[in-house]
Amino acid sequence: MAFSTETDEAPRMTRAVQALIAISVAIYFLQMTVLGRADVENWLAFKRNDLTHGVWTVVTYAFVHGGFWHLFGNMFMLWQLGPRVEHQWSAGRFVAFYLWCALGGVLGHLMFGGDGILMGASAAVLGVMLAYAMFWPDDELLLFGVVPLKVKWLVAACAVTVMVATGD
């Protein structure tokens, strides 16, 4: 949980963050039960050739996840840091920023990702984390519930991890 010296804490859950989490969880539920992982990946995950016939995947990929822990990590960080950023801006501006960050993930994938598939909210969530760190860089989170870590260092570590993990 974020700790702040400010007295005007943001609400724990905001409308846009709640909607983004709900959409991601619902798609994951469909992926694991009704439709199956392969179908959801084919229809909603982004692939380089989708730019000619599946343009919607430049956005939908951000709601499809590769597994429970992939979903959990992204949604946990969105839940942890997103409400305060949304409260700072507005629900509409927050969602627009989130989607722009997702599009940035597509651009990065096109430049460096090769022919693999792109799925998950990591780019969008990393954008939210960066926005949080820009406003409140010295706030601390408890890493693994124990180790205090400044948000600016957490974001830097997550960015490096994402770059290493996707730099196949």
Side-chain angles (χ1 to χ4, degrees):
M1 176 174 276
F3 299 101
S4 174
T5 57
E6 298 177 22
T7 57
D8 59 336
E9 286 293 318
R12 183 65 265 157
M13 183 57 78
T14 52
R15 189 177 65 184
V17 169
Q18 185 175 17
L20 292 167
I21 291 172
I23 292 166
S24 294
V25 169
I27 289 175
Y28 185 74
F29 177 78
L30 290 173
Q31 183 178 339
M32 293 295 113
T33 58
V34 179
L35 300 175
R37 180 181 171 133
D39 287 335
V40 171
E41 285 179 13
N42 285 333
W43 297 334
L44 301 177
F46 178 79
K47 295 167 276 318
R48 184 177 297 273
N49 64 350
D50 284 345
L51 289 174
T52 58
H53 67 276
V55 177
W56 61 87
T57 63
V58 299
V59 173
T60 59
Y61 89 89
F63 298 97
V64 179
H65 288 80
F68 173 78
W69 291 111
H70 186 206
L71 173 72
F72 179 81
N74 281 326
M75 296 304 102
F76 179 75
M77 290 313 297
L78 181 59
W79 170 79
Q80 192 75 36
L81 303 178
R84 194 160 178 209
V85 175
E86 181 183 341
H87 182 71
Q88 180 74 17
W89 292 340
S90 69
R93 186 171 174 207
F94 180 83
V95 170
F97 178 77
Y98 187 88
L99 294 175
W100 275 111
C101 290
L103 290 173
V106 169
L107 182 61
H109 180 74
L110 289 171
M111 291 171 41
F112 307 111
D115 292 326
I117 66 169
L118 179 63
M119 61 183 175
S122 299
V125 171
L126 194 56
V128 171
M129 292 173 69
L130 180 60
Y132 189 101
M134 298 292 287
F135 285 114
W136 307 282
D138 294 321
D139 275 8
E140 290 185 344
L141 296 174
L142 294 177
L143 187 63
F144 305 114
V146 180
V147 180
L149 183 64
K150 290 190 183 288
V151 169
K152 62 186 171 188
W153 302 123
L154 174 67
V155 172
C158 286
V160 168
T161 301
V162 167
M163 286 189 290
V164 168
T166 58
D168 297 323

